[in-house]
Amino acid sequence: MHQNQGTASNSGAGSEELLSVLMDLRAALDEAVAGRRAAEEELRETLAAMIQHQQVGKCGNFRYNTTTGAIRGTEEVFKIFQFPAGTRGCTVEEWLAKLHEDDRDRIAQRFFEAISKGEDLRFDYRIVFADGSMKHIRCDGEPDLEHEGEVTYFGVLTDITEQRHVEEAQRAMEAELASSLRLASLGELAGSIIHEVNQPLAAISASAEACRRWMKHGTDPNHRALASLDRISEECHRAAAIVNGLKSLIQSNSIEPVAFDFSLAVQEVCSLLMGELTREDVLLVVDMARDLPPALGNRVQIQQIVMNLARNAVEAMRSVARRRVMTITTGMHEGMLSLRVADTGPGVDPADLERLFSPLFTTKAGGMGLGLPISRKIAIAHGGSLNAKSGMKSGAIFNLLLPLGENHGD
């Protein structure tokens, strides 16, 4: 009887222990399920956020299997390319068929060449749709080195159409600003131009009158008349040079870059400035290196830079009482053509040297703050540079570097 009671006690204790274990297991299972649900919810939120970010950023992820040739990607990738809704994969041929015909061969060559060498995929291209509309696409991809088995690439495709439109609008605006600056400079130079042209015209008139007198009354009319005619010819050439220089400055800046005589281009600008330099009591010192090779670029735009630098120097010296001297020096520096414009003005605060090239920043009363920024952009677009520094004792120095013309780069 006592033995049965002991057995029943042991059985009850075992049941309680089993129930406790089961309850612990149930609690652990409930915790695991809750954790999994939380992880799934977090994954769904992350996936939703990623989809939203891709939609806002107009981009999507892709994977390319180099063995099967299959391209897989997120919904946004195939939405950008206007594949049917729900498409999540395509072949390389189907992808290439979407490309602009002018880009297709180039991109196909770069694509397969990068794959064969295991290099990154970095290129921009255009895709065209049935209605004739077009998008600009940027591809950024690289091999998945952590993936085992078949070699695959992963990356991002981005619709950069709006970015391209903004860049085109910015370039058009910069061209318009450059044109406005050139015309504004010409307006201020109108008096100088009139003065410069009037001088040779007056000389021509005087020489023609002298020639008429010698032909009519001179004792040796032929010799003196010929001398007068020679002076007329010289002054005509001078007037033509001034007019041609002015014409080149107001031409459109859409001319294709070509090799041109750098020294002659600088000399033409100096000729246009002579009237203003005289009125402003500025001594021009020109040190032109001999036998310089031609420059490569847009002659009109380079003359615009020289004109702007020279006029800035003149304006900077208006406030000084000491001798006003502007020095223009040309030469070679580190395999490039160089132009140096120095003045004896008050100089520039070292803290402002780089700010001079920021749009709308100016140290001149009534200045627009556009000349130097546009000039630097032109220099950089030509593969050169434009920088400023303070003079040794006074004034400022601007240094322009430009690439050489073809067949002169070695």
Short mmCIF file of all heavy atoms in Angstrom, two decimals, residues 306-351:
data_model
loop_
_atom_site.label_atom_id
_atom_site.label_comp_id
_atom_site.label_asym_id
_atom_site.label_seq_id
_atom_site.Cartn_x
_atom_site.Cartn_y
_atom_site.Cartn_z
N VAL A 306 41.06 86.07 -72.97
CA VAL A 306 42.12 87.10 -72.96
C VAL A 306 41.51 88.48 -72.78
O VAL A 306 42.01 89.30 -71.99
CB VAL A 306 42.95 87.03 -74.26
CG1 VAL A 306 44.04 88.11 -74.25
CG2 VAL A 306 43.57 85.66 -74.44
N MET A 307 40.45 88.76 -73.50
CA MET A 307 39.77 90.05 -73.39
C MET A 307 39.28 90.29 -71.96
O MET A 307 39.47 91.37 -71.38
CB MET A 307 38.59 90.10 -74.37
CG MET A 307 37.70 91.34 -74.22
SD MET A 307 38.52 92.85 -74.77
CE MET A 307 38.38 92.65 -76.55
N ASN A 308 38.68 89.28 -71.36
CA ASN A 308 38.15 89.42 -70.01
C ASN A 308 39.25 89.64 -68.98
O ASN A 308 39.14 90.50 -68.09
CB ASN A 308 37.33 88.19 -69.63
CG ASN A 308 36.60 88.35 -68.32
OD1 ASN A 308 35.80 89.28 -68.14
ND2 ASN A 308 36.87 87.47 -67.38
N LEU A 309 40.36 88.89 -69.09
CA LEU A 309 41.47 89.06 -68.16
C LEU A 309 42.09 90.45 -68.28
O LEU A 309 42.41 91.10 -67.28
CB LEU A 309 42.53 87.99 -68.42
CG LEU A 309 42.12 86.54 -68.15
CD1 LEU A 309 43.29 85.60 -68.46
CD2 LEU A 309 41.66 86.34 -66.71
N ALA A 310 42.25 90.92 -69.53
CA ALA A 310 42.85 92.24 -69.75
C ALA A 310 41.94 93.34 -69.20
O ALA A 310 42.40 94.28 -68.54
CB ALA A 310 43.12 92.45 -71.23
N ARG A 311 40.65 93.24 -69.46
CA ARG A 311 39.74 94.29 -69.00
C ARG A 311 39.62 94.28 -67.48
O ARG A 311 39.48 95.32 -66.85
CB ARG A 311 38.36 94.11 -69.64
CG ARG A 311 38.41 94.21 -71.16
CD ARG A 311 37.09 94.62 -71.77
NE ARG A 311 36.80 96.02 -71.47
CZ ARG A 311 35.91 96.41 -70.58
NH1 ARG A 311 35.23 95.54 -69.88
NH2 ARG A 311 35.68 97.69 -70.38
N ASN A 312 39.70 93.10 -66.87
CA ASN A 312 39.71 93.03 -65.40
C ASN A 312 40.93 93.75 -64.84
O ASN A 312 40.85 94.44 -63.81
CB ASN A 312 39.70 91.58 -64.94
CG ASN A 312 38.31 90.96 -65.00
OD1 ASN A 312 37.32 91.65 -65.25
ND2 ASN A 312 38.24 89.66 -64.80
N ALA A 313 42.07 93.55 -65.50
CA ALA A 313 43.29 94.20 -65.04
C ALA A 313 43.17 95.72 -65.13
O ALA A 313 43.57 96.46 -64.22
CB ALA A 313 44.48 93.71 -65.87
N VAL A 314 42.60 96.21 -66.24
CA VAL A 314 42.42 97.65 -66.42
C VAL A 314 41.52 98.21 -65.33
O VAL A 314 41.81 99.24 -64.70
CB VAL A 314 41.84 97.95 -67.82
CG1 VAL A 314 41.46 99.42 -67.93
CG2 VAL A 314 42.85 97.57 -68.90
N GLU A 315 40.40 97.53 -65.09
CA GLU A 315 39.45 98.00 -64.07
C GLU A 315 40.07 97.96 -62.67
O GLU A 315 39.79 98.83 -61.84
CB GLU A 315 38.19 97.16 -64.13
CG GLU A 315 37.40 97.37 -65.41
CD GLU A 315 36.22 96.40 -65.52
OE1 GLU A 315 36.04 95.60 -64.58
OE2 GLU A 315 35.51 96.45 -66.53
N ALA A 316 40.90 96.96 -62.41
CA ALA A 316 41.52 96.85 -61.08
C ALA A 316 42.48 98.00 -60.81
O ALA A 316 42.67 98.39 -59.65
CB ALA A 316 42.25 95.51 -60.98
N MET A 317 43.08 98.56 -61.85
CA MET A 317 44.08 99.62 -61.66
C MET A 317 43.48 101.03 -61.61
O MET A 317 44.20 102.00 -61.43
CB MET A 317 45.13 99.53 -62.77
CG MET A 317 46.02 98.30 -62.67
SD MET A 317 47.39 98.28 -63.87
CE MET A 317 46.50 97.87 -65.39
N ARG A 318 42.17 101.15 -61.78
CA ARG A 318 41.56 102.48 -61.76
C ARG A 318 41.68 103.16 -60.40
O ARG A 318 41.68 104.38 -60.31
CB ARG A 318 40.07 102.36 -62.13
CG ARG A 318 39.83 102.13 -63.61
CD ARG A 318 38.37 101.92 -63.90
NE ARG A 318 38.14 101.71 -65.32
CZ ARG A 318 37.00 101.27 -65.84
NH1 ARG A 318 35.98 100.99 -65.04
NH2 ARG A 318 36.88 101.11 -67.14
N SER A 319 41.81 102.37 -59.34
CA SER A 319 41.83 102.94 -58.00
C SER A 319 43.23 103.26 -57.50
O SER A 319 43.39 103.73 -56.36
CB SER A 319 41.16 101.97 -57.02
OG SER A 319 41.85 100.73 -56.98
N VAL A 320 44.27 103.01 -58.29
CA VAL A 320 45.64 103.24 -57.82
C VAL A 320 46.21 104.49 -58.46
O VAL A 320 45.90 104.84 -59.60
CB VAL A 320 46.54 102.02 -58.14
CG1 VAL A 320 46.02 100.77 -57.46
CG2 VAL A 320 46.67 101.79 -59.64
N ALA A 321 47.06 105.19 -57.69
CA ALA A 321 47.69 106.42 -58.18
C ALA A 321 49.05 106.14 -58.81
O ALA A 321 49.56 106.97 -59.56
CB ALA A 321 47.84 107.41 -57.03
N ARG A 322 49.66 104.98 -58.49
CA ARG A 322 50.97 104.69 -59.05
C ARG A 322 50.88 104.32 -60.52
O ARG A 322 49.79 104.23 -61.09
CB ARG A 322 51.63 103.55 -58.26
CG ARG A 322 50.83 102.27 -58.25
CD ARG A 322 51.55 101.16 -57.48
NE ARG A 322 50.72 99.98 -57.30
CZ ARG A 322 49.91 99.79 -56.28
NH1 ARG A 322 49.83 100.72 -55.32
NH2 ARG A 322 49.18 98.69 -56.18
N ARG A 323 52.01 104.10 -61.12
CA ARG A 323 52.08 103.79 -62.55
C ARG A 323 51.24 102.54 -62.86
O ARG A 323 51.36 101.50 -62.19
CB ARG A 323 53.55 103.53 -62.95
CG ARG A 323 53.76 103.26 -64.43
CD ARG A 323 53.69 104.56 -65.21
NE ARG A 323 53.92 104.35 -66.63
CZ ARG A 323 55.12 104.27 -67.19
NH1 ARG A 323 56.20 104.38 -66.43
NH2 ARG A 323 55.24 104.10 -68.49
N ARG A 324 50.38 102.66 -63.84
CA ARG A 324 49.50 101.56 -64.22
C ARG A 324 50.12 100.78 -65.37
O ARG A 324 50.29 101.31 -66.47
CB ARG A 324 48.12 102.07 -64.61
CG ARG A 324 47.43 102.87 -63.51
CD ARG A 324 46.14 103.49 -64.03
NE ARG A 324 45.50 104.30 -63.01
CZ ARG A 324 44.40 105.01 -63.22
NH1 ARG A 324 43.83 105.01 -64.43
NH2 ARG A 324 43.86 105.71 -62.24
N VAL A 325 50.48 99.55 -65.10
CA VAL A 325 51.14 98.72 -66.11
C VAL A 325 50.43 97.36 -66.18
O VAL A 325 50.22 96.71 -65.15
CB VAL A 325 52.63 98.50 -65.79
CG1 VAL A 325 53.29 97.64 -66.88
CG2 VAL A 325 53.35 99.83 -65.64
N MET A 326 50.07 96.96 -67.38
CA MET A 326 49.54 95.62 -67.59
C MET A 326 50.52 94.86 -68.47
O MET A 326 50.91 95.34 -69.55
CB MET A 326 48.17 95.67 -68.28
CG MET A 326 47.60 94.27 -68.59
SD MET A 326 45.89 94.29 -69.19
CE MET A 326 46.09 95.13 -70.77
N THR A 327 50.92 93.70 -68.02
CA THR A 327 51.91 92.89 -68.74
C THR A 327 51.25 91.61 -69.22
O THR A 327 50.66 90.86 -68.43
CB THR A 327 53.11 92.55 -67.84
OG1 THR A 327 53.67 93.75 -67.32
CG2 THR A 327 54.16 91.79 -68.62
N ILE A 328 51.33 91.35 -70.52
CA ILE A 328 50.80 90.13 -71.12
C ILE A 328 51.98 89.33 -71.65
O ILE A 328 52.73 89.81 -72.50
CB ILE A 328 49.79 90.43 -72.23
CG1 ILE A 328 48.57 91.16 -71.66
CG2 ILE A 328 49.37 89.15 -72.94
CD1 ILE A 328 47.52 91.51 -72.71
N THR A 329 52.13 88.13 -71.15
CA THR A 329 53.27 87.28 -71.51
C THR A 329 52.77 85.94 -72.04
O THR A 329 51.86 85.34 -71.45
CB THR A 329 54.17 87.03 -70.29
OG1 THR A 329 54.52 88.29 -69.69
CG2 THR A 329 55.43 86.29 -70.68
N THR A 330 53.34 85.48 -73.14
CA THR A 330 53.00 84.16 -73.66
C THR A 330 54.25 83.30 -73.68
O THR A 330 55.38 83.79 -73.73
CB THR A 330 52.42 84.25 -75.08
OG1 THR A 330 53.42 84.78 -75.96
CG2 THR A 330 51.19 85.13 -75.12
N GLY A 331 54.06 81.99 -73.65
CA GLY A 331 55.19 81.07 -73.67
C GLY A 331 54.71 79.64 -73.54
O GLY A 331 53.56 79.32 -73.82
N MET A 332 55.62 78.78 -73.09
CA MET A 332 55.32 77.37 -72.87
C MET A 332 55.52 77.05 -71.40
O MET A 332 56.44 77.58 -70.75
CB MET A 332 56.24 76.48 -73.72
CG MET A 332 56.04 76.63 -75.22
SD MET A 332 54.47 75.93 -75.77
CE MET A 332 54.71 74.20 -75.33
N HIS A 333 54.68 76.19 -70.85
CA HIS A 333 54.81 75.77 -69.46
C HIS A 333 54.32 74.33 -69.33
O HIS A 333 53.15 74.04 -69.58
CB HIS A 333 54.00 76.68 -68.53
CG HIS A 333 54.10 76.29 -67.07
ND1 HIS A 333 55.24 76.51 -66.34
CD2 HIS A 333 53.20 75.71 -66.24
CE1 HIS A 333 55.05 76.08 -65.11
NE2 HIS A 333 53.82 75.59 -65.03
N GLU A 334 55.23 73.43 -68.98
CA GLU A 334 54.91 72.02 -68.78
C GLU A 334 54.18 71.42 -69.99
O GLU A 334 53.18 70.72 -69.86
CB GLU A 334 54.09 71.83 -67.50
CG GLU A 334 54.84 72.22 -66.24
CD GLU A 334 54.03 71.99 -64.99
OE1 GLU A 334 52.83 71.68 -65.12
OE2 GLU A 334 54.58 72.12 -63.88
N GLY A 335 54.69 71.74 -71.18
CA GLY A 335 54.14 71.16 -72.39
C GLY A 335 52.84 71.77 -72.87
O GLY A 335 52.18 71.22 -73.75
N MET A 336 52.48 72.92 -72.30
CA MET A 336 51.24 73.59 -72.71
C MET A 336 51.54 75.05 -73.01
O MET A 336 52.52 75.62 -72.53
CB MET A 336 50.18 73.49 -71.61
CG MET A 336 49.82 72.07 -71.20
SD MET A 336 48.48 72.02 -69.98
CE MET A 336 47.05 72.34 -71.01
N LEU A 337 50.67 75.65 -73.82
CA LEU A 337 50.78 77.08 -74.09
C LEU A 337 50.34 77.85 -72.85
O LEU A 337 49.38 77.46 -72.17
CB LEU A 337 49.88 77.46 -75.27
CG LEU A 337 50.34 77.01 -76.65
CD1 LEU A 337 49.21 77.13 -77.65
CD2 LEU A 337 51.54 77.83 -77.11
N SER A 338 51.05 78.93 -72.56
CA SER A 338 50.72 79.71 -71.37
C SER A 338 50.50 81.17 -71.72
O SER A 338 51.15 81.72 -72.61
CB SER A 338 51.83 79.58 -70.31
OG SER A 338 53.00 80.25 -70.75
N LEU A 339 49.58 81.79 -71.01
CA LEU A 339 49.31 83.22 -71.12
C LEU A 339 49.28 83.77 -69.70
O LEU A 339 48.59 83.24 -68.83
CB LEU A 339 47.98 83.50 -71.81
CG LEU A 339 47.55 84.97 -71.79
CD1 LEU A 339 48.27 85.73 -72.88
CD2 LEU A 339 46.04 85.10 -71.95
N ARG A 340 50.02 84.85 -69.48
CA ARG A 340 50.11 85.45 -68.15
C ARG A 340 49.71 86.90 -68.26
O ARG A 340 50.28 87.67 -69.03
CB ARG A 340 51.53 85.33 -67.61
CG ARG A 340 51.78 85.90 -66.23
CD ARG A 340 53.22 85.60 -65.83
NE ARG A 340 53.57 86.12 -64.52
CZ ARG A 340 54.08 87.31 -64.29
NH1 ARG A 340 54.29 88.15 -65.32
NH2 ARG A 340 54.38 87.69 -63.08
N VAL A 341 48.69 87.31 -67.47
CA VAL A 341 48.24 88.69 -67.44
C VAL A 341 48.46 89.23 -66.02
O VAL A 341 47.88 88.73 -65.07
CB VAL A 341 46.75 88.82 -67.82
CG1 VAL A 341 46.31 90.28 -67.75
CG2 VAL A 341 46.52 88.27 -69.23
N ALA A 342 49.34 90.22 -65.90
CA ALA A 342 49.68 90.79 -64.60
C ALA A 342 49.37 92.29 -64.60
O ALA A 342 49.48 92.96 -65.63
CB ALA A 342 51.15 90.56 -64.28
N ASP A 343 48.96 92.81 -63.45
CA ASP A 343 48.67 94.23 -63.34
C ASP A 343 49.34 94.80 -62.08
O ASP A 343 49.85 94.05 -61.24
CB ASP A 343 47.16 94.48 -63.30
CG ASP A 343 46.48 93.84 -62.11
OD1 ASP A 343 46.76 94.25 -60.96
OD2 ASP A 343 45.65 92.93 -62.30
N THR A 344 49.32 96.12 -61.96
CA THR A 344 49.90 96.79 -60.80
C THR A 344 48.81 97.41 -59.94
O THR A 344 48.98 98.45 -59.35
CB THR A 344 50.90 97.88 -61.25
OG1 THR A 344 50.22 98.80 -62.13
CG2 THR A 344 52.08 97.26 -61.97
N GLY A 345 47.66 96.74 -59.90
CA GLY A 345 46.53 97.21 -59.11
C GLY A 345 46.70 96.90 -57.64
O GLY A 345 47.80 96.53 -57.18
N PRO A 346 45.61 97.00 -56.87
CA PRO A 346 45.69 96.78 -55.42
C PRO A 346 45.85 95.32 -55.04
O PRO A 346 46.10 95.01 -53.87
CB PRO A 346 44.34 97.32 -54.92
CG PRO A 346 43.42 97.19 -56.09
CD PRO A 346 44.27 97.44 -57.30
N GLY A 347 45.70 94.41 -56.00
CA GLY A 347 45.84 92.99 -55.69
C GLY A 347 44.54 92.40 -55.19
O GLY A 347 43.51 93.06 -55.11
N VAL A 348 44.60 91.12 -54.82
CA VAL A 348 43.42 90.39 -54.37
C VAL A 348 43.72 89.77 -53.00
O VAL A 348 44.81 89.25 -52.76
CB VAL A 348 43.05 89.26 -55.37
CG1 VAL A 348 41.79 88.52 -54.90
CG2 VAL A 348 42.83 89.84 -56.76
N ASP A 349 42.74 89.84 -52.11
CA ASP A 349 42.87 89.21 -50.79
C ASP A 349 43.10 87.71 -51.01
O ASP A 349 42.34 87.08 -51.76
CB ASP A 349 41.58 89.42 -49.99
CG ASP A 349 41.71 88.94 -48.55
OD1 ASP A 349 42.45 87.97 -48.31
OD2 ASP A 349 41.04 89.51 -47.68
N PRO A 350 44.14 87.11 -50.41
CA PRO A 350 44.40 85.67 -50.61
C PRO A 350 43.18 84.80 -50.35
O PRO A 350 43.01 83.76 -51.00
CB PRO A 350 45.52 85.39 -49.60
CG PRO A 350 46.23 86.69 -49.45
CD PRO A 350 45.16 87.74 -49.56
N ALA A 351 42.33 85.23 -49.42
CA ALA A 351 41.13 84.43 -49.12
C ALA A 351 40.13 84.45 -50.27
O ALA A 351 39.25 83.58 -50.35
CB ALA A 351 40.46 84.96 -47.85
#
